[in-house]
Amino acid sequence: MTHFVEHTSCEACGSSDGKALYSDGGSFCFSCRKSNRSREYKPVEAIEEDTLALPPGCTQDFGVEAVEWFKRYDLDVNDMLKHGLLWHEKRKQLVFPYYESGKLACFQARNFSEHAKAKSYTKGSFNGVYPVYEGLSDVLVLVEDPTSAIKVHKYTGLSTMPCLGSGIAKDRLAVLARRFKTIFVWLDSNMLHSAMKIAAQLTILGCSSKPIFTMKDPKECSISQIRWLL
């Protein structure tokens, strides 16, 4: 039986983790819908065990690679600890776990090994997960990756949420539109079209929304630029 293997980057649309790989050699991008099979090919969703588990051996003894990488974005070990990040030394991965009702629902791992096939991968189902870094207002900033979400949240005080990719389902947008009055959509520079589309959908849902465009990813912008934009 065909089963899900991992998420990886898509060569067609540039999504950092939208492309799913399957055990039969098939692939399917949930961002641009490109498949290496016929149009009728419908990949099987990820088959998880009853209880999704983090990679064994995860600790909060963070590797120097991850610490130095976080410092590049004006973040530090305290931010890692605050948001429950973990480190897997053998795999050289920084792990961002997400929970729903106290149960691990999914996690995204950022690879630091020079032998890794992709920059990051996501395991588990995040369709019903809303990994919001809670702020003090009714404004939300949607970004692609968790590091951008942590940085924007830290330096603006606003709620942020990583899409864990460049797209987000309409039913999830509807939930967010009921929860927040204003939602900014700030994706990576090559995903402006997707950001505009998401903002338009949120507007239809009755939420004030607009895309933010910068040449750099949110996490790569300076603190002053982030505060000026928001």
Side-chain angles (χ1 to χ4, degrees):
M1 182 178 180
T2 300
H3 63 272
F4 169 83
V5 177
E6 66 175 343
H7 281 287
T8 186
S9 57
C10 177
E11 304 86 352
C13 69
S15 172
S16 62
D17 61 357
K19 182 178 178 180
L21 303 180
Y22 296 86
S23 60
D24 64 352
S27 66
F28 182 81
C29 179
F30 288 89
S31 179
C32 68
R33 319 301 291 178
K34 181 178 176 60
S35 168
N36 68 349
R37 300 300 178 86
S38 68
R39 286 190 173 185
E40 289 70 35
Y41 176 63
K42 296 181 179 179
V44 179
E45 293 286 354
I47 299 176
E48 304 290 347
E49 298 178 357
D50 290 339
T51 302
L52 177 68
L54 292 167
C58 285
T59 71
Q60 289 190 317
D61 184 12
F62 300 105
V64 64
E65 307 96 316
V67 174
E68 291 301 318
W69 183 73
F70 241 46
K71 284 182 179 179
R72 285 169 47 188
Y73 306 120
D74 303 295
L75 299 169
D76 55 33
V77 173
N78 289 328
D79 297 305
M80 294 178 172
L81 295 171
K82 177 181 178 180
H83 297 294
L85 277 59
L86 299 166
W87 174 252
H88 195 287
E89 176 61 28
K90 185 176 180 179
R91 299 184 183 184
K92 298 294 182 182
Q93 292 175 339
L94 183 61
V95 181
F96 299 78
Y98 296 104
Y99 300 86
E100 182 66 22
S101 301
K103 181 179 179 181
L104 181 68
C106 67
F107 64 86
Q108 186 172 92
R110 206 285 184 185
N111 291 312
F112 288 88
S113 170
E114 59 182 14
H115 304 296
K117 294 181 180 179
K119 181 172 62 177
S120 64
Y121 79 94
T122 303
K123 189 171 183 180
S125 174
F126 52 83
N127 288 334
V129 179
Y130 299 87
V132 176
Y133 297 97
E134 299 287 352
L136 300 176
S137 69
D138 53 7
V139 176
L140 175 71
V141 185
L142 281 177
V143 298
E144 284 193 39
D145 65 277
T147 305
S148 290
I150 291 172
K151 180 170 181 177
V152 174
H153 169 71
K154 178 177 181 177
Y155 291 108
T156 66
L158 299 176
S159 294
T160 61
M161 187 182 109
C163 297
L164 303 180
S166 57
I168 184 168
K170 290 182 179 179
D171 59 334
R172 299 182 76 208
L173 289 178
V175 172
L176 294 173
R178 290 193 294 269
R179 183 173 173 184
F180 297 94
K181 290 184 178 180
T182 301
I183 299 179
F184 295 103
V185 187
W186 190 358
L187 306 184
D188 296 352
S189 61
N190 63 332
M191 288 297 159
L192 178 59
H193 178 73
S194 294
M196 294 174 66
K197 182 178 179 181
I198 293 171
Q201 291 173 335
L202 287 165
T203 300
I204 292 173
L205 291 168
C207 178
S208 174
S209 181
K210 72 174 185 178
I212 294 178
F213 175 79
T214 51
M215 292 303 296
K216 296 180 179 180
D217 296 352
K219 63 178 175 287
E220 296 174 340
C221 291
S222 66
I223 297 170
S224 59
Q225 185 178 15
I226 289 173
R227 288 172 172 168
W228 181 78
L229 287 167
L230 297 169

